[in-house]
Amino acid sequence: MAEVKPLKITETVLRDGPQSLVATRMRVQDMIPVLEKLDDVGYHAIEAWGGATFDACLRFLDEDPWSRLRILRHRMPKTPIQMLLRGQNLLGYNHYADDIVSEFIKKSVENGVSIIRVFDALNDTRNLETSFRAGKEAGAHMQGALVYTTSPYHKPQDFLQLAKEMVQMGADSICIKDMAGLLTPYAAETLVKQLKKELEVPLELHNHCTTGLGHMTALKAAEAGVDIIDTALSPFSGTTSQPSTEAMVATVAEGPRSTGLDLMQLNELAEYFSGVKTKIIHEFHVNANFDLNPKVLIYQIPGGMLSNLRNQMAGMGIEDKLDDVLKEMPQVRKDLGYPPLVTPTSQIVGSMAVMNVAMGRYKMIPREVKELIRGRYGKTPGPINQEVKKQAIGDEPVIDHRPADDIKPQLFAMRDRLDEAGFPGLSTEDVLSYALFPEVALSYFRSHR
Ligand code: CO
């Protein structure tokens, strides 16, 4: 029998919590007053950077994401800071050149990130090669994330294979990333047991409560031996966010996997963040009241996607056809080779389903869908429907190499463009901000000249 270890906790109140519940509108000023206290809790890690925070800093909060990271590092010297990275997409929505990816990762580590959780929407490890290489070189702990979904191509055996590939590439730990809340408690038990049996590196669970299963799934994962779970302090937990930190700490407190974290200390922090949440809701008029959504279990729509879909449908005058679009999603997903639904594949499958309902199946095929079929995002888990493929790209060849091999180095060109725009001599960090989000970065530089 393996020794039973305390369950470790990664706190997400500074990143995924606010991203899932208040559209990433938490400012660094809202964090500063309690950073020392968060650092004292004894968390395994604090997820505090990456994901949508980078874009939101520049676009909505008038903040420099790099300076935020330095503040966090300075005030939380004891606890590792974790970031979420979309592999070759970094924190943006396209594939970037290898030189941008490498430099971005190097600078993230230099400025304070210790753990990099990296994933690819299609679970195509070729899209993670450069990230792993750069992260290892920079001395980061590299965590490979398995994007969880269900399909004939996503059995526990497939995830085990994927995890082994990532460990071979240098993964220091593996994460089961259940962004839509699809992982049921008993499926988690099976998956965790299988992965724990065969992997030597630590295993973490990242899940969302969208379907109402989150806390139960986290408990079953803990019982099955997962090393770390992701939770958010209660004001930023539940529904589309993670299970609550206090609830999970209390859940396992009397059992063999007790975390050893102090509920009183967590409660004090939760009270503080409750005030922050109220303030954010007032200032930005965001809706933080989400209903549980078991529809996700049937249609696989991640939490944030429903509002996107509704907007798109309104734009096409078919806002009354939500049920038709939801029913169309599994078909489109199957036709496109069962991609997991996470940024950017969720949007791609979603728009295709909306178009199919509005105009008839595959009468009009958006550019991104064609790109997916061409292999520009990587290899899809299952085969693409041949008829759909013919309709989309005819006899055009499909690429079977690593998509980023076709992208020339971009870093120097970015500097030149910034020179031309009247911003010579910016830091490499600023150049990277510009590479990821050109327009928002420029307008940020202008207002902070
Ligand atoms: Co998440």
Side-chain angles (χ1 to χ4, degrees), residues 15-16 20 47 84 117 177-179 206-208 242:
R15 204 287 296 178
D16 208 358
S20 299
E47 194 202 36
L84 179 68
R117 173 179 294 165
K177 178 179 163 64
D178 176 25
M179 60 282 158
H206 174 85
N207 70 341
H208 287 250
Q242 272 75 63

Side-chain angles (χ1 to χ4, degrees), residues 66 83 85 87 90 100-111 113 116 118 130-136 138 140 142 432:
W66 298 100
M83 78 172 292
L85 194 77
L90 296 175
I100 302 268
V101 173
S102 301
E103 198 63 28
F104 189 89
I105 287 171
K106 186 174 148 207
K107 287 293 170 189
S108 302
V109 175
E110 263 178 40
N111 283 278
V113 169
I116 301 178
V118 65
T130 306
S131 302
F132 269 111
R133 196 177 315 121
K136 300 298 279 188
M142 291 303 293
L432 290 164

Side-chain angles (χ1 to χ4, degrees), residues 221-331:
E223 286 179 355
V226 84
D227 298 278
I228 314 148
I229 60 169
D230 285 13
T231 63
L233 282 163
S234 51
F236 285 94
S237 76
T239 61
T240 51
S241 178
Q242 272 75 63
S244 132
T245 307
E246 304 96 293
M248 287 314 302
V249 166
T251 297
V252 298
E254 266 88 50
R257 310 254 2 236
S258 179
T259 61
L261 301 192
D262 177 21
L263 268 182
M264 290 305 287
Q265 208 177 350
L266 294 173
N267 182 53
E268 200 185 313
L269 283 160
E271 274 174 18
Y272 171 79
F273 280 107
S274 170
V276 169
K277 185 175 165 188
T278 308
K279 193 190 114 210
I280 294 174
I281 291 170
H282 276 278
E283 184 182 349
F284 292 101
H285 307 287
V286 288
N287 172 20
N289 291 315
F290 296 98
D291 290 334
L292 288 182
N293 193 350
K295 263 194 170 68
V296 175
L297 290 169
I298 307 166
Y299 301 115
Q300 295 233 343
I301 318 265
M305 196 179 157
L306 216 51
S307 54
N308 279 349
L309 272 186
R310 286 214 174 89
N311 285 340
Q312 238 177 322
M313 291 169 61
M316 305 193 72
I318 54 160
E319 52 269 68
D320 54 329
K321 298 238 166 86
L322 182 63
D323 273 351
D324 294 342
V325 170
L326 289 181
K327 283 183 191 132
E328 183 65 12
M329 296 275 300
Q331 182 61 44

